[in-house]
Amino acid sequence: MRAANAIGIPFTLSTVGLCGIDEVATAAHAPFWFQLYMLRDRGVANALLDRAWAAGCRTLMFTIDLPMPGPRHRDIRNGLAVPGRRAKLLRTRQLLARPGWIWDVAMRGGPLRLGSLGEHVPAARDLDAFRQWVDQQFDPTVTWADIVWLRQRWRGTLLLKGILDADDARASIDAGADGIVVSNHGGRQLDGAASTASKLPAIVNAVGASTQVLVDGGIRSGIDVFRALALGVRGVLIGRPWVYALAAGGEPGVRALLSCWQRELATTMALTGVTRIDAIGSQQLDPI
Ligand SMILES: Cc1cc2nc3c(=O)[nH]c(=O)nc-3n(C[C@H](O)[C@H](O)[C@H](O)COP(=O)(O)O)c2cc1C
């Protein structure tokens, strides 16, 4: 978050983030965005919304593509997504193989708990109990009526994340969203989900240039940022790149990633003869 603040871009805190809303608000130099998963217990959802608003958050990103966790085969193999003793042993073996992580994160970092949900999830530190809670609480019954409810409930900017379809994009705006994030959850929900780049042209066309359309999934360089802008989005979001940079180099690692992408974007603009971001269009680069 500090690296994002330094460069003047928003940071989004997840519902299931390890840092809580108040901790992030205290450390932030700029308003942060909050990402919400719809919970069956609307009391908890309401409490999160109130807390985010009170902490100065004015942009809510509501994720619609995780009505239930998708199959994540690697997480079954590594013991993250299955309950029981064998999985616990697997995780312990992984921990013991990484003394650097134990010292740097488990002992000096932390506390390792679900920041915003901690008080609502019984035994939130226990992975099996948390997974059980997610299975019970993530609400697969959400409809457009819930989006309309959320629109009335949230006074700030509302973005719907997880749109891959032009009709859904239009319906999002009709339900009152201020913008959409074209996303396939980085392919983590459904292996084989359509790429966001392939869906962007029809979606941008459906909602018009005045709608805020963002995209994520597979953005890996400043050239990719340029390609996304050329496809008509206002901006991009990233998931794994900043996590990898953070794991490899901490805050300086994320700063290095972001300034590298800035340079790559500037170079791509120079080499395609564009001097303003809003002049980037599909004519500059074959985006696919
Ligand atoms: C470790 C990890 C955790 C994630 N957690 C969330 C989350 O809590 N809420 C959410 O809406 N998306 C979550 N995502 C999906 C990202 O927001 C984003 O859609 C995706 O990572 C973008 O693709 P990229 O990783 O290729 O940039 C997560 C992704 C990763 C890799």
Side-chain angles (χ1 to χ4, degrees):
M1 180 197 61
R2 279 194 289 263
N5 283 172
I7 207 171
I9 59 174
F11 167 82
T12 307
L13 175 65
S14 164
T15 299
V16 291
L18 290 186
C19 297
I21 290 170
D22 296 331
E23 184 183 348
V24 167
T26 306
H29 300 302
F32 65 99
W33 294 8
F34 184 65
Q35 175 272 328
L36 181 74
Y37 285 125
M38 189 54 86
L39 306 171
R40 283 182 196 269
D41 185 342
R42 296 291 198 267
V44 177
N46 269 313
L48 290 173
L49 292 176
D50 286 343
R51 206 168 208 165
W53 185 266
C57 169
R58 294 294 178 265
T59 300
L60 179 70
M61 191 178 295
F62 179 58
T63 300
I64 59 164
D65 61 7
L66 208 145
M68 64 184 75
R72 298 184 183 179
H73 302 298
R74 183 185 293 177
D75 288 352
I76 294 171
R77 280 201 304 278
N78 65 26
L80 198 68
V82 280
R85 256 169 58 90
R86 191 179 163 273
K88 240 178 208 151
L89 274 173
L90 260 175
R91 294 199 297 267
T92 308
R93 203 177 68 188
Q94 290 160 23
L95 268 179
L96 293 177
R98 290 167 181 81
W101 188 91
I102 294 179
W103 168 244
D104 191 31
V105 181
M107 292 172 75
R108 290 194 310 155
L112 299 180
R113 58 178 167 73
L114 294 170
S116 306
L117 286 177
E119 67 198 69
H120 304 288
V121 187
R125 287 198 63 160
D126 179 272
L127 201 56
D128 290 350
F130 172 62
R131 203 178 18 258
Q132 215 177 0
W133 184 88
V134 165
D135 288 345
Q136 286 162 2
Q137 273 299 326
F138 277 37
D139 190 349
T141 69
V142 170
T143 66
W144 291 111
D146 295 283
I147 310 286
V148 171
W149 169 80
L150 198 58
R151 172 66 289 174
Q152 286 159 359
R153 177 73 182 65
W154 181 257
R155 282 175 282 161
T157 301
L158 175 64
L159 305 175
L160 297 192
K161 172 172 181 279
I163 303 290
L164 273 180
D165 180 86
D167 288 341
D168 288 344
R170 252 185 250 108
S172 303
I173 305 308
D174 291 346
D178 298 295
I180 54 172
V181 182
V182 177
S183 174
N184 59 13
H185 217 97
R188 290 163 58 80
Q189 271 296 83
L190 185 65
D191 194 17
S195 77
T196 49
S198 70
K199 294 291 175 182
L200 262 180
I203 291 175
V204 170
N205 192 35
V207 294
S210 59
T211 302
Q212 183 174 358
V213 180
L214 305 172
V215 70
D216 74 11
I219 307 286
R220 295 292 180 268
S221 67
I223 303 174
D224 286 345
V225 177
F226 186 99
R227 289 189 175 108
L229 293 168
L231 286 169
V233 301
R234 294 269 180 91
V236 305
L237 287 84
I238 56 173
R240 276 157 294 197
W242 75 260
V243 178
Y244 295 154
L246 188 71
E251 182 187 335
V254 184
R255 284 180 186 244
L257 169 88
L258 294 173
S259 53
C260 170
W261 285 22
Q262 273 186 324
R263 285 194 305 276
E264 287 172 350
L265 177 59
T267 306
T268 311
M269 289 173 69
L271 294 178
T272 51
V274 187
T275 52
R276 294 187 335 269
I277 292 280
D278 62 8
I280 298 174
S282 55
Q283 66 279 9
Q284 269 92 34
L285 198 70
D286 180 1
I288 305 294

